[in-house]
């Protein structure tokens, strides 16, 4: 393998030079060098007659794990219009040239990582991200439980099936933790190392993998305190694994795996961020491709790795139910039922948190579409000034009279015509939330709707269908059950009227229940 710089400018050559450059002894070229000196041997060469990048193939043939990475193909560089000249005649550090240099440097770094492994990060980073040593191979386990139970041939078929189900619980736990470690030991470690030399600094490692170290710690504790001791007892005694020995550990499931609440709340945004970076950031796409083809990754795709925690936490009830199905003994069945109930209770809690998070996101999006609150016309500037502190509608505030976990939801919206008293019909846009109905007016030059009537609380609202099949009457009551205001609503069609009446009635029932 040849060095990456001309032999006349670099005191070290070959693989040693690459390693010295990456591991702290980086050779820095002179800033006054010509454009031809900005690239190492085997890198892009400018043809003055055609101004193209020729022969760009950063990886040598047969360079280990990096061999599968396709060479980076670069388009013909356009002239630098800002400087009024051709690419070769412009400033030595134009934006196009910087992109090419960064792409080349990334390929060189990844090639060096493939040859020698990644540089060792500082201890505080390794502890924070749960990055293991290069020699770490994880917990070793036998291929089959039969290797630990000499008398397995004399066991009943049903007991053998039970042990197979328990063994699947143990082995899949270790396989899963190894996949978590791919995210920290390969992806996060690689990004952190590249960012230390100024590459991919725009990518947030915290957004991608910030909660993964907490999951690794939770599973390490679960193995060391629950699954591991049961396996060691099996090794020492030569007896089948007793599912009752796992009961205490699974009854504390929600306390042990609390980090999954945050991970599941963020996983949708995390995957969206990863897709956005891969679609819009060519350097990050190149890095992810290198990671996915690395021998350590086992050909796991980034998106698949990010969804693994959600899949694993929801698989525990299925694994325990498989054991229960093959456990005829009463005490074991009682213990397994209690374990399954504890896990499913935690999953319901996660689902509830995720649902509330999604509802809150939807509410914020709806609230952003509703703008000024102008239900009164001030008679003077002084009156307007005094009304201003009370002319703000915060739809994200808690719903009055219900538990905090109940989030306001947008149930229905649409255009209608309303008539108040003897006035003419007015085109408005209604927003029906789970506790309030808003009458708004669309603004021509803005995306937001203006609130033009005081909010109509559903608990004080009466809806009466009229003889016209497309119309109904909205009556808002006071605390004394007297009429406060009334609006005649004309819908575009009878089907629309039916929909408004149905949704309003459903919301009123839920308000009473809450």
């Amino acid at each position: 393998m040849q060095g990456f710089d001309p032999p006349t400018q670099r005191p070290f050559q070959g693989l040693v030079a690459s390693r010295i450059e990456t591991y702290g002894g980086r050779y820095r070229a002179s800033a006054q060098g010509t454009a031809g000196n900005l690239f190492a041997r085997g890198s892009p060469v400018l043809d003055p007659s055609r101004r193209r990048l020729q022969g760009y193939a950063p990886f040598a043939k047969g360079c280990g794990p990096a061999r599968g990475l396709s060479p980076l193909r670069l388009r013909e560089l356009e002239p630098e219009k800002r400087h009024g000249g051709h690419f070769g005649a412009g400033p030595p550090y134009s934006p196009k040239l910087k992109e090419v240099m960064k792409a080349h440097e990334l390929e060189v770094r990844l090639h060096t990582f493939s040859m020698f492994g990644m540089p060792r990060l500082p201890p505080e980073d390794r502890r924070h991200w749960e990055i293991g040593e290069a020699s770490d191979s994880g917990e070793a386990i036998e291929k089959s439980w039969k290797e630990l139970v000499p008398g397995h041939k004399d066991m009943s078929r049903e007991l053998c099936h039970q042990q197979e189900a328990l063994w699947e619980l143990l082995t899949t736990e270790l396989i899963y933790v190894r996949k978590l470690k791919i995210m920290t030991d390969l992806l996060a470690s690689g990004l952190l190392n590249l960012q230390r030399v100024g590459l991919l600094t725009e990518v947030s490692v915290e957004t991608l993998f910030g909660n993964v170290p907490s999951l690794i710690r939770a599973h390490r504790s679960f193995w060391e305190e629950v699954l591991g001791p049961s396996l060691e007892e099996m090794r020492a005694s030569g007896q089948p694994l007793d599912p009752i020995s796992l009961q205490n550990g699974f009854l504390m499931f929600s306390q042990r795996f609390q980090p999954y609440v945050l991970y599941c709340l963020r996983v949708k945004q995390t995957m969206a961020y990863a897709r956005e970076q891969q679609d819009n950031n060519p350097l990050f796409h190149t890095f992810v491709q290198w990671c996915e083809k690395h021998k350590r990754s086992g050909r796991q795709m980034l998106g698949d790795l990010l969804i693994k925690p959600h899949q694993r936490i929801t698989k525990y009830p299925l694994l325990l139910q498989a054991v229960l199905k093959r456990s005829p003994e009463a005490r074991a069945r009682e213990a397994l039922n209690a374990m399954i109930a504890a896990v499913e209770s935690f999953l319901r809690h996660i689902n509830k948190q995720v649902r509330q998070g999604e509802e809150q996101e939807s509410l914020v999006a709806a609230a952003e579409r509703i703008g000024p609150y102008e239900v009164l016309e001030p008679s003077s500037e002084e009156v307007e000034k005094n009304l201003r502190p009370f002319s703000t509608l915060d739809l994200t505030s808690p719903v009055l009279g219900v538990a905090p976990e109940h989030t306001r939801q947008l149930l229905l919206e649409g255009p209608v015509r309303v008539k108040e008293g003897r006035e003419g019909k007015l085109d408005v846009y209604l927003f029906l939330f789970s506790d309030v109905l808003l009458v708004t007016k669309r603004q021509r030059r803005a995306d937001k709707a203006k609130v033009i009537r005081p909010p109509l609380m559903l608990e004080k609202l009466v809806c009466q269908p009229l003889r016209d099949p497309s119309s109904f009457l909205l009556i808002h009551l006071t605390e004394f059950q007297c009429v406060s205001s009334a609006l005649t609503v004309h819908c575009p069609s009878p089907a629309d009227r039916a929909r408004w009446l149905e949704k309003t009635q459903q919301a009123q029932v839920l308000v009473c229940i809450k």
Side-chain angles (χ1 to χ4, degrees), residues 351-393:
N351 288 335
K352 181 178 179 181
Q353 294 294 316
V354 171
R355 185 180 65 252
Q356 289 176 5
E358 292 174 347
E359 290 174 354
Q360 186 66 27
E361 288 179 9
S362 300
L363 176 61
V364 170
E368 288 176 349
R369 297 168 53 202
I370 299 173
Y373 182 80
E374 299 178 2
V375 299
L376 297 175
E377 295 185 8
S379 58
S380 66
E381 291 185 4
E382 182 183 11
V383 172
E384 181 182 4
K385 182 179 179 182
N386 284 277
L387 287 176
R388 195 173 298 144
F390 308 101
S391 298
T392 302
L393 179 63

Side-chain angles (χ1 to χ4, degrees), residues 14-49:
L15 300 180
V16 175
S18 301
R19 190 164 194 177
I20 288 174
E21 179 183 1
T22 301
Y23 288 72
R26 184 183 177 204
Y27 175 74
R28 302 184 181 277
S30 171
Q32 286 76 31
T34 64
N37 290 331
L38 293 175
F39 297 101
R41 188 186 312 170
S43 60
V45 179
L46 292 175
D47 182 347
S49 63

Side-chain angles (χ1 to χ4, degrees), residues 67-111:
R67 185 175 180 179
L69 187 61
S70 59
L72 185 63
R73 301 297 179 189
L74 298 176
R75 296 177 296 176
E76 181 177 357
L77 296 177
E78 298 177 357
E80 268 304 317
K81 296 181 179 179
R82 186 179 63 176
H83 297 287
H86 292 294
F87 178 77
Y93 288 100
S94 64
K96 288 284 187 181
L97 183 55
K98 287 182 180 179
E99 290 177 14
V100 174
M101 292 176 65
K102 282 203 168 189
H104 175 68
E105 185 179 0
L106 176 63
E107 298 273 5
V108 170
R109 296 282 175 182
L110 295 178
H111 177 70

Side-chain angles (χ1 to χ4, degrees), residues 25 42 175 185 235 291 298 337 340 357 373 392 420 436 449 453 510:
I175 292 171
D185 293 6
R235 286 169 174 162
C291 290
N337 278 317
I340 293 170
Y373 182 80
T392 302
E420 187 172 15
V436 66
R453 293 288 189 279
L510 291 176

